[in-house]
Amino acid sequence: QHGYAPLETVMRGFNSYLGSSPRLLERGCRVLVAPSWGSEGIIDKGAAPLIEALLNAGHHVILRTHPQSIKTSFVKIHELKKIFMPHPNFEFDHDTSIFESLYDADVLVSDWSGIALEYGLGLERPVIFIDVPRKVHNSRYTEVKNIPFEVVAREQLGVVLSADKLDKAPDLVTLLTENKNRFAKQARILRHKHVFNLGKSAKIGATLIKQIAEKQKNID
């Protein structure tokens, strides 16, 4: 029962950011596309139809790639930038050390990236989860009976969109923004139920590590 430090970072930064003036749009929403990395993610599976559909619907689209994607999917990212950078409503956010694009977004589009949890739980804003195959690092995870939290949270923080129906993304943006209060409420309930020690996880984590180290020392 430790906590979720990255979530706290997002929430603290957002509270500070609220004092600044957000950028205003003449129409549409600000949609942040922030996928995970890997061969099954949005970037490698083809993000162009998704971005094109959102832009054609009048939304402002920011593509924020995972740092690892810059290494593993450089060519695909270059192709996306070449296609969409001339569009006045498209931005490419390459600096994942800052969260301005996250704070400005009305809706997030992701896959299995942890940023979706931090955005949904921290900012209480809705997420479109593109239904690509899970990025499994431990094939024995099914031996644990608990359902992975990433799976549980999806239906509460937003909606799941099939990877072969990316043209429906603009309709979902409209649906989510029209029901943003409902998703904000669900995010608060989910956060209260599942996130331990909100705001003090670092201190708790250090205490737990110390306890484990001392116990191991006594065993040795």
Side-chain angles (χ1 to χ4, degrees):
Q1 297 181 6
H2 166 211
Y4 194 173
L7 172 61
E8 295 173 4
T9 299
V10 168
M11 294 179 72
R12 280 197 303 269
F14 182 59
N15 288 333
S16 300
Y17 188 69
L18 286 176
S20 63
S21 300
R23 288 173 287 180
L24 300 177
L25 300 177
E26 294 181 357
R27 60 191 179 95
C29 295
R30 189 173 292 274
V31 181
L32 178 62
V33 179
S36 184
W37 64 279
S39 59
E40 298 293 348
I42 297 174
I43 295 296
D44 281 47
K45 286 294 184 181
L50 170 67
I51 296 172
E52 184 176 18
L54 292 169
L55 289 173
N56 287 342
H59 300 306
H60 191 102
V61 179
I62 308 98
L63 176 62
R64 179 185 174 99
T65 55
H66 191 283
Q68 191 66 23
S69 294
I70 302 296
K71 303 175 183 178
T72 61
S73 306
F74 177 82
V75 174
K76 292 184 180 295
I77 293 173
H78 178 73
E79 291 173 352
L80 290 171
K81 291 171 67 176
K82 184 177 180 180
I83 295 170
F84 295 111
M85 284 303 289
H87 198 290
N89 282 339
F90 178 82
E91 293 181 49
F92 179 72
D93 182 3
H94 61 86
D95 191 352
T96 56
S97 65
I98 59 177
F99 296 100
E100 182 174 314
S101 61
L102 203 70
Y103 299 149
D104 279 346
D106 299 295
V107 175
L108 176 74
V109 181
S110 192
D111 38 36
W112 291 100
S113 175
I115 197 67
L117 300 181
E118 291 146 25
Y119 176 87
L121 292 173
L123 305 186
E124 300 174 6
R125 295 176 186 169
V127 181
I128 298 174
F129 296 91
I130 306 301
D131 196 22
V132 298
R134 300 180 186 182
K135 187 170 64 176
V136 178
H137 292 298
N138 181 1
S139 60
R140 296 180 59 189
Y141 81 94
T142 55
E143 295 178 20
V144 180
K145 294 183 179 180
N146 302 63
I147 300 175
F149 183 67
E150 294 96 323
V151 177
V152 174
R154 281 185 149 201
E155 300 294 340
Q156 300 296 315
L157 297 178
V159 294
V160 180
L161 176 64
S162 173
D164 59 3
K165 296 182 179 179
L166 297 179
D167 60 317
K168 302 298 183 182
D171 295 334
L172 291 181
V173 169
T174 300
L175 173 68
L176 293 175
T177 52
E178 289 178 349
N179 293 275
K180 61 182 180 181
N181 292 336
R182 175 166 66 88
F183 287 103
K185 181 179 179 181
Q186 291 176 181
R188 288 192 292 270
I189 292 172
L190 196 67
R191 189 176 65 209
H192 179 74
K193 182 177 180 180
H194 291 283
V195 180
F196 293 102
N197 305 308
L198 190 63
K200 52 183 179 180
S201 66
K203 181 178 180 179
I204 298 297
T207 300
L208 292 173
I209 291 172
K210 181 180 179 181
Q211 291 174 356
I212 293 170
E214 290 176 346
K215 182 178 180 181
Q216 186 62 42
K217 182 178 180 181
N218 292 333
I219 293 175
D220 295 340

